[in-house]
Amino acid sequence: MITVSNLSLSFNGQALFKNVDLKFLEGNCYGVIGANGAGKSTFLRILSGELEPSGGSVTVDAKNRMSVLKQDHFAFDEFTVLDTIMMGNRRMYEVMKQKDALYLKEDFTEEDGILASELEAEFAEMGGWEAETEAGKLLQGLGLDLSLLEAQMGSLPVKQKVKVLLAQALFGRPDIILLDEPTNHLDNDSITWLEDFLMDYEGTVIVVSHDRHFLNNVCTHIVDVDYNQIKIYVGNYDFWYESSQLMQRLIREQNRKVEEKIKDLQDFVARFSANKSKSRQATSRRKLLEKLAVEEMPASSRRYPFVGFSMDREPGKEILEVKDLSKTIDGVKVLDRVSFRLNRGDKVGFVGENEIAVTTLFRILMEEIEPDEGSFKWGVSTSRSYFPKDNSEYFDGCTLSILDWLRQYAPPEALESYLRGFLGKMLFSGDDVFKPVEVLSGGEKVRCMLSRMMMFGSNVLLLDQPTNHLDLESITAVNNGLTAFKGVVLFSSYDHEFIQTVANRIMEFTPNGLVDRLSTYDEYLEWKAGR
C-alpha cells in the first residue's frame, strides 16, 4: 500500500498540486490522467522517491518492493538484455553478481563458502533460478525473440529497448509497479499482451497513459490531476469521463437556476423596498439573497482544441488506384507489389508493426519519393493533405511566429483576425501566437500541423501517427474531427480506440503481403485471432 498525506508541490512559487491525501491499495490498477503539464509524471516521480515534494509525505510499506518503468533508453547500453531485465529486481541482481564473484575467487575461504551458501538460499527464495525463464517469457510476450537475451542493449533499436525496459519493470513479481506511458512505441499485439498481464497482476499498478482503450481495459480506478488537486475515482476511464461530464452539467444547471433566483429576488427588492405594504417581504428576500451564491467552478487545466476538417468540394467516384508498388530502402524491401483501390467514404486504418512500410507508402502517395516499381493514380477530383510522422522540416530552424507560420498556408484573403480566431480554437491564444515555432513542444507542433491541414479544405487526408505527443483532450478532438469528416482518410495509429472509432477499413503490412479488410478494428482483430 502507498499512503499519500497532505502532499504539495510548487514550482517557482506556483502550486502544481496541494493538500493531496490518497491511498493506493493492493489489487487495484490506477490510471493517472490530466492535461499536459498538469503534473502526472511529476506525481509518479514523487511516489517513486525520485523527487521530493514541497510538503507532505509518501509512505510505502517497508515489505513492498516497488518497480518503475525507466525512461532513459540509453542507461543500460553496456549491459546485456538479460542483465537489464534482471535489474528490475535490484536485490536479486546484486546477490547473483556477488555470488558469481565469490566463485571466481582463487583463494576461496571457508567464510566465502558460508557467505555463498547464504546468498544461494536468498537467491533461490527470490526465484533467481527461474529468472532467465521469466525474462524470456516477458520478452516473448512483448514480441521479441529469446535470442535477444544475450544481446547488448546498446545494439538494439529504440522500439526494442522500450520493450526490454518494460520487461524490466514487470520482472520479479514486484508489489508495486509505476508505469509512465508504457504503451508508447508498442505495437498493438504487445499492448494487448500488457493489458492481459496487468489484469492478472495481483499487486498495485499506477500508470500514466493517453491510451483510452488501455485505461478502460486495465484500470479499476482513475487518478485525476486537475484543479491543482489529485483525486481518485472508482471505475475505468469511460466511467470517469461520463461522470465528470455529468457533474459539470449539474453544476452549470444548478448555477443557472441560482442566477435566475438571484435575479428574481433582486427585481422584487428593487421594486418593493420603498413600498410599506411590501417592505417586510422585500427585507425577507434581501436576507435570502445574501445567502445565495453561485458556485464558482475551479479553473481546469484541461483544454479541448477544435479539430474539424471541411472539404472545398466532394470527391468523385475515382479516388485512388495503387498497382504493384515496390520500394527498397537501405537494402530492405519495405513495399513489395502493393495493390489496392480506394473508394469514396473509405477511412483506412493502417495497423501492425511495419511503420516504415506505412510511412513509405504515404510519402510515395504524396510524391515526396518515387517507387522503384509500380504506379498509383489519384482521381482528378481529389485534393490531398498530409500529416507526416516526422514534422521537423516544418519547424527546425524556423524563426517565424505561430501566426506567421500559419499565414503561409492560409488563403490569400485571410485576415489576421481570422487567423487569430482559428489559432484560438487550437489553444493558441493571446501572445501565444507570437511564439517562434522552433521552440514549440511536440504537442504544440502537432496542433500547428493539424491547423495547416484544416486550412486546405482537402477531401483526402493522410495522417501518419497523428496522436503522438497529444494529451487525452487533444486526441479526443482529433478523433471527433476525423469521425465527422465526410471525405476519405488514410491514417496509421497505435491507439486502439482511435482506430476503432475512425476506421471502416483496415490494412496491415505482414510478411505475407498486405492484408486488406472492410471492417472495424475490433472485427479485424477477431478475424485475425480466428485464422
Side-chain angles (χ1 to χ4, degrees):
M1 183 173 72
I2 302 177
T3 303
V4 177
S5 302
N6 198 30
L7 191 73
S8 63
L9 183 70
S10 299
F11 286 123
N12 300 321
Q14 185 170 358
L16 197 59
F17 39 77
K18 57 187 177 181
N19 305 323
V20 177
D21 293 293
L22 305 169
K23 282 188 178 180
F24 298 94
L25 304 178
E26 183 180 2
N28 293 332
C29 179
Y30 301 85
V32 184
I33 62 170
N36 283 349
K40 303 183 297 295
S41 297
T42 302
F43 180 57
L44 248 62
R45 291 175 62 203
I46 291 174
L47 294 182
S48 70
E50 182 185 344
L51 182 67
E52 283 291 324
S54 304
S57 63
V58 174
T59 306
V60 181
D61 286 356
K63 63 181 181 180
N64 288 344
R65 183 171 70 82
M66 180 184 290
S67 184
V68 180
L69 175 59
K70 302 294 192 298
Q71 300 298 314
D72 185 351
H73 300 155
F74 307 101
F76 301 91
D77 279 1
E78 63 187 274
F79 298 97
T80 67
V81 168
L82 178 58
D83 279 357
T84 301
I85 294 175
M86 288 187 65
M87 286 180 199
N89 187 335
R90 176 60 66 172
R91 178 56 186 166
M92 178 192 289
Y93 183 75
E94 289 173 351
V95 168
M96 182 184 72
K97 289 299 179 184
Q98 190 177 354
K99 68 186 186 65
D100 287 350
L102 277 176
Y103 292 138
L104 289 174
K105 289 180 65 175
E106 293 183 1
D107 53 341
F108 192 82
T109 65
E110 183 177 348
E111 289 77 11
D112 292 332
I114 294 171
L115 177 57
S117 176
E118 293 171 350
L119 292 173
E120 289 287 8
E122 185 179 356
F123 189 68
E125 187 177 351
M126 288 187 290
W129 295 112
E130 295 80 40
E132 185 169 347
T133 301
E134 182 187 351
K137 287 180 179 179
L138 291 171
L139 270 193
Q140 288 180 310
L142 290 166
L144 298 180
D145 195 86
L146 281 176
S147 62
L148 286 179
L149 283 174
E150 299 306 321
Q152 289 293 123
M153 283 289 287
S155 68
L156 302 185
V158 169
K159 285 190 68 174
Q160 291 185 349
K161 285 183 178 180
V162 166
K163 290 184 176 183
V164 174
L165 293 178
L166 181 54
Q168 180 193 72
L170 305 179
F171 174 78
R173 301 183 297 278
D175 301 290
I176 301 167
I177 302 177
L178 305 185
L179 303 172
D180 192 354
E181 295 292 355
T183 62
N184 282 0
H185 302 286
L186 291 190
D187 55 272
N188 288 302
D189 289 341
S190 298
I191 292 173
T192 300
W193 177 87
L194 178 60
E195 289 173 353
D196 292 339
F197 181 96
L198 294 179
M199 283 189 281
D200 292 337
Y201 176 70
E202 296 179 352
T204 304
V205 180
I206 305 174
V207 55
V208 172
S209 179
H210 290 149
D211 188 324
R212 295 162 294 173
H213 186 268
F214 179 77
L215 291 171
N216 280 329
N217 277 354
V218 305
C219 291
T220 60
H221 297 71
I222 292 297
V223 181
D224 186 26
V225 184
D226 199 10
Y227 304 119
N228 299 117
Q229 298 176 331
I230 305 177
K231 294 185 177 180
I232 292 180
Y233 299 87
V234 175
N236 65 10
Y237 176 76
D238 278 351
F239 186 83
W240 168 85
Y241 181 78
E242 293 298 329
S243 300
S244 67
Q245 294 300 300
L246 175 62
M247 184 57 66
Q248 296 295 308
R249 286 195 297 271
L250 289 174
I251 292 174
R252 285 194 292 268
E253 179 63 18
Q254 179 182 344
N255 285 347
R256 184 186 64 79
K257 290 179 179 178
V258 171
E259 286 171 349
E260 290 177 356
K261 183 70 173 177
I262 289 173
K263 186 176 184 304
D264 290 343
L265 292 172
Q266 287 173 334
D267 290 344
F268 187 92
V269 170
R271 287 167 56 197
F272 297 113
S273 59
N275 187 321
K276 287 186 177 180
S277 64
K278 298 282 188 179
S279 61
R280 182 176 294 179
Q281 289 174 282
T283 300
S284 175
R285 281 167 171 74
R286 187 180 293 111
K287 290 180 179 178
L288 179 60
L289 186 61
E290 291 170 357
K291 295 179 181 178
L292 287 175
V294 175
E295 181 178 343
E296 286 191 21
M297 293 174 63
S300 173
S301 57
R302 285 189 171 83
R303 297 192 299 164
Y304 290 83
F306 171 77
V307 177
F309 300 97
S310 58
M311 300 181 290
D312 290 342
R313 62 173 177 173
E314 294 276 342
K317 290 184 178 180
E318 301 295 326
I319 303 297
L320 172 67
E321 184 175 11
V322 175
K323 283 186 177 180
D324 297 328
L325 276 189
S326 296
K327 182 68 176 179
T328 298
I329 297 178
D330 297 330
V332 177
K333 198 161 195 175
V334 295
L335 297 178
D336 188 7
R337 299 180 65 83
V338 173
S339 299
F340 61 87
R341 180 190 292 269
L342 287 187
N343 304 305
R344 192 162 49 186
D346 278 349
K347 293 185 178 179
V348 184
F350 285 85
V351 301
E353 279 199 79
N354 201 339
E355 293 180 20
I356 297 176
V358 178
T359 298
T360 302
L361 174 65
F362 284 7
R363 293 187 66 198
I364 289 173
L365 296 180
M366 291 304 297
E367 300 182 9
E368 289 187 357
I369 57 176
E370 293 185 357
D372 299 331
E373 301 173 39
S375 63
F376 66 94
K377 183 180 180 182
W378 288 103
V380 293
S381 63
T382 61
S383 54
R384 282 85 60 193
S385 293
Y386 178 42
F387 180 99
K389 183 163 59 176
D390 180 5
N391 58 37
S392 56
E393 68 176 275
Y394 292 88
F395 300 102
D396 288 358
C398 181
T399 58
L400 291 176
S401 68
I402 298 174
L403 184 65
D404 289 336
W405 184 90
L406 187 62
R407 199 191 309 274
Q408 302 174 99
Y409 309 108
E413 67 276 10
L415 300 175
E416 180 167 320
S417 58
Y418 168 78
L419 293 175
R420 295 194 66 153
F422 190 91
L423 287 170
K425 292 179 181 178
M426 293 300 286
L427 309 184
F428 297 111
S429 57
D431 290 340
D432 286 346
V433 301
F434 300 117
K435 286 171 64 175
V437 294
E438 64 178 344
V439 303
L440 298 181
S441 68
E444 289 173 328
K445 289 176 180 177
V446 168
R447 282 189 271 126
C448 281
M449 293 299 292
L450 291 169
S451 300
R452 171 182 174 273
M453 289 185 74
M454 287 188 278
M455 285 286 175
F456 293 149
S458 303
N459 52 35
V460 179
L461 307 178
L462 294 87
L463 304 102
D464 197 356
Q465 301 288 345
T467 60
N468 287 357
H469 307 293
L470 294 183
D471 57 20
L472 276 165
E473 291 69 40
S474 297
I475 291 172
T476 300
V478 178
N479 200 152
N480 293 341
L482 291 180
T483 302
F485 181 59
K486 303 300 183 185
V488 175
V489 181
L490 296 88
F491 71 97
S492 65
S493 178
Y494 286 127
D495 187 311
H496 188 118
E497 186 77 10
F498 191 84
I499 305 168
Q500 171 64 16
T501 52
V502 174
N504 55 25
R505 183 174 175 181
I506 301 296
M507 293 190 188
E508 180 178 5
F509 289 104
T510 73
N512 298 319
L514 179 69
V515 177
D516 180 2
R517 287 188 67 83
L518 286 169
S519 73
T520 66
Y521 185 47
D522 283 343
E523 290 168 344
Y524 175 78
L525 292 176
E526 186 177 346
W527 168 82
K528 187 178 176 182
R531 289 176 65 184

